[in-house]
Amino acid sequence: MSDATDARTPAQIEADIKTRRADLADTLDEIGVRLHPSTIAGDARAKVTSAVDQTAGRAFVALNRAANGVRAQFVTEEGSPRLERVIPVALLTVGLVGLCVTSATKTKRRQPGLCATTKRRR
């Protein structure tokens, strides 16, 4: 042993032991908290939430950019509609809706028993 260790009194050694015990108890408590299932689950939940928030944020930014790009195609910078683009798209939309409605009504006429139950009479 060195001279510094030999020079300590029994009271100093006991105080050092108490200090080390307290430090060890604090360390064990911290390890227990870190390894507790609720702490692990909370940390995992926080990581997942953060990842979802980041992904949702990226998706929002991408959709916002896309929407602004589409909007720029149909609206001028001043906010007035670009009629040379709006009218053809509106006519195309009306035509497609009309085609869908016509197709749906023709299908119902050809197959009357599709939606309702029918009984055969003999």
Side-chain angles (χ1 to χ4, degrees):
M1 290 191 169
S2 67
D3 292 334
T5 309
D6 294 339
R8 295 188 309 169
T9 64
Q12 289 173 331
I13 294 172
E14 286 181 20
D16 190 30
I17 291 172
K18 286 182 182 179
T19 303
R20 289 189 183 208
R21 276 189 186 149
D23 291 345
L24 182 60
D26 290 343
T27 302
L28 289 175
D29 287 344
E30 185 176 334
I31 289 171
V33 168
R34 286 184 183 180
L35 295 178
H36 194 274
S38 65
T39 304
I40 294 171
D43 290 346
R45 189 179 312 116
K47 286 180 183 178
V48 169
T49 302
S50 175
V52 168
D53 287 346
Q54 287 178 354
T55 303
R58 287 185 194 132
F60 176 78
V61 168
L63 286 173
N64 198 17
R65 284 182 185 158
N68 286 338
V70 170
R71 183 175 181 267
Q73 296 294 319
F74 296 102
V75 179
T76 64
E77 290 179 9
E78 294 83 32
S80 61
R82 294 183 179 186
L83 296 179
E84 69 276 5
R85 293 192 180 172
V86 172
I87 291 174
V89 171
L91 291 174
L92 181 64
T93 303
V94 169
L96 287 174
V97 169
L99 184 63
C100 289
V101 169
T102 304
S103 175
T105 56
K106 285 183 181 179
T107 303
K108 285 183 182 179
R109 287 182 193 160
R110 276 190 254 143
Q111 299 173 358
L114 235 163
C115 294
T117 58
T118 58
K119 294 183 180 178
R120 286 186 165 179
R121 292 187 181 183
R122 293 185 180 195

